[in-house]
Each structure stands twice: as C-alpha cells, then as structure tokens.
Amino acid sequence: MRLIIQPDYQSISEWVANYVAAKVKKANPTEENPFVLGLPTGSSPLGMYRQLIRLYKKGLVSFEHVVTFNMDEYVALPRNHEQSYYTFMWHNFFSHINIKAGNTNILNGNAPDLQQECADFEAKIASYGGIDLFLGGIGPDGHIAFNEPCSSLTSRTREKTLTTDTIIANSRFFDNDVNKVPKTALTVGVGTILDAKEVLIIVNGHGKARALRHGVEEPMSHIWTVSALQMHPKGMIVCDYDACAELKVGTYKYFLDIEKDYLNPDSLL
Ligand code: GLP
C-alpha cells in the first residue's frame, strides 16, 4: 500500500486531481476503449472535484471518453433531492465538465427491484472490463462506500443498513435531523472495490485518524473495511497531517521518506 502524506486538505485535493488527470491522459481513452473511473461523494472528494474542473477548464484533461460508476446511493431518496448522490455528482462535478450523461452510472435507489439494480450495476462494470481507478473516502468508522463495520470483505453491490454512527455523521447534510437520513443505501461491495485495477482513498482530518491507523497499521479486519486495501496490489491512501495523528512516528516517517519524490502535486502532471 502507498501512503501519500500531504500538509492539508488543499494539497490532498490538488495531488489527487493531478494524479487522476495524469492517469486519464496516459490511458489516451477512446469511445471504444474508455477510461473507467469509480467515484465517491461526501465532503472528502469535494476539493478534488473542484481541482479536476479547474484542470478541465485549462484544457489539461478531457472527460469525453471517461465512464464513471459511483460507489453508492441512498435508498428511497428522490433522485432530485438535494442530498441524493445523483444531485451531488451533477451539482459538484458532472455539469462542469465534458462528460457524456450516458457515460455516468449511479445506482438508482428508487428502482422497483433493488437486487436487480445491484446485479445490473455489477454486470455493467464487468461489460467495460472493470474499473481502472476507484476513488473513495472513508467514514470515521473506517467504512468504504457504505460497507459498514463487519461487511464481508468479498461483498458485492447490494443494499446495506446504515449504522447509527453513520446516520448521525450524515445528519449534518439533513438539517441535523437523524430522522431525515435514509436508513439504507445501495453500495458497491468491498469485493467490487478490490476488483478495480487501482484504488485511491482520500482521508483528511482528525476525525479519521483512528480509521487511518486501523487501515494502515492494524491487521486486516472486516471491522474496519478500509483495511481490505491491504490486499490490493495497487492500493493507495492520500491523507493530510491531521489524519496521521494516531500513526506511529516510525510509520509516518517511513512513508514521507519513501514517497519523497512524489509528494509535490506538480510532479504528477
Ligand atoms: C458516506 C459515504 C462514504 C464516504 C463517507 C465519508 O458514508 N457513503 O463513501 O466516504 O460518507 O464522508 P465525508 O467525506 O463527508 O467524511
């Protein structure tokens, strides 16, 4: 696993956006052979989306031949609800770049048959030959997508019940009212994420420090689903100094040393 340590949220956002843009450019995607990107929502990736929009506007990256799959979506929240992940993606990213609407894939939490919706999503990912780069964030309990503690580390896309902790954490987007937060969500599985050719997780702030320690230093465990990244041949976490608060000094110094030539975002593009 790679751990890229950056001073703050702004530099994480620049680093990840430059990394994504460089990957897309290098792949030289075409209509027949698009670049397939897995995408998250939440506050962690917002800065990265802003930076990617900036790079697109400067002509440094094109999304014409990029296909996206979002990680998760609430169940039974209308698609046009301001907190649906559909609205989030269009408001914060898709409507500002040259992506084709038909190339964006977001689970439909209002589908008549949710199990079928999840199976179709997996089949569509497979039809593209899998995901080239899956981006994600984590919850304070170390969940990736909505793979709450004790999710199977081989899980596939399915409906999951949200933990009380997650409902409380996400109530900040629902007028701080836990009763307004959906109780279940559709989410890709840990296995779906691990199938991607590459996985990059953004972790920022003190609130994620314990989860980062479990992901990086502790044994792999279904309690902290982010720790499954330890099994991925190309797994990477990009974090800020605050999120490192619970890492051992030795771990922190090791990654700063081994990645010293790659820490400057400008070195990527
Ligand atoms: C939700 C999402 C996760 C996300 C997490 C953290 O639970 N399902 O994909 O990583 O929130 O959100 P934030 O980035 O706002 O801390």
Side-chain angles (χ1 to χ4, degrees), residues 218-239:
E218 302 294 328
M220 190 173 73
S221 156
H222 64 175
I223 302 282
W224 301 85
T225 53
V226 65
S227 66
L229 202 62
Q230 294 173 16
M231 285 296 287
H232 197 282
K234 288 194 93 179
M236 166 157 50
I237 295 177
V238 184
C239 67

Side-chain angles (χ1 to χ4, degrees), residues 115-260:
Q115 229 174 319
Q116 189 61 48
E117 172 70 10
C118 294
D120 292 347
F121 197 74
E122 288 273 349
K124 196 156 183 197
I125 293 174
S127 77
Y128 284 101
I131 289 177
D132 291 307
L133 173 61
F134 218 136
L135 304 171
I138 57 169
D141 60 4
H143 69 240
I144 33 174
F146 270 126
N147 293 288
E148 299 283 30
C150 296
S151 292
S152 159
L153 300 184
T154 61
S155 50
R156 312 300 309 186
T157 306
R158 69 221 183 284
E159 184 177 8
K160 279 294 287 181
T161 302
L162 307 187
T163 63
T164 302
D165 277 358
T166 297
I167 290 172
I168 292 169
N170 289 5
S171 65
R172 68 191 193 274
F173 302 119
F174 292 85
D175 307 324
N176 291 312
D177 182 350
V178 287
N179 297 313
K180 290 187 183 166
V181 184
K183 302 292 171 281
T184 69
L186 301 185
T187 176
V188 295
V190 180
T192 319
I193 297 169
L194 292 183
D195 276 357
K197 295 179 188 92
E198 203 174 332
V199 182
L200 187 162
I201 304 292
I202 298 168
V203 183
N204 64 289
H206 277 290
K208 308 280 174 71
R210 191 164 165 232
L212 185 68
R213 170 165 64 82
H214 279 276
V216 176
E217 291 180 340
E218 302 294 328
M220 190 173 73
S221 156
H222 64 175
I223 302 282
W224 301 85
T225 53
V226 65
S227 66
L229 202 62
Q230 294 173 16
M231 285 296 287
H232 197 282
K234 288 194 93 179
M236 166 157 50
I237 295 177
V238 184
C239 67
D240 63 5
Y241 291 166
D242 286 349
C244 294
E246 292 213 17
L247 292 183
K248 292 187 182 103
V249 175
T251 308
Y252 181 77
K253 288 184 73 173
Y254 167 74
F255 281 110
L256 280 176
D257 177 50
I258 202 164
E259 299 287 359
K260 59 180 176 298

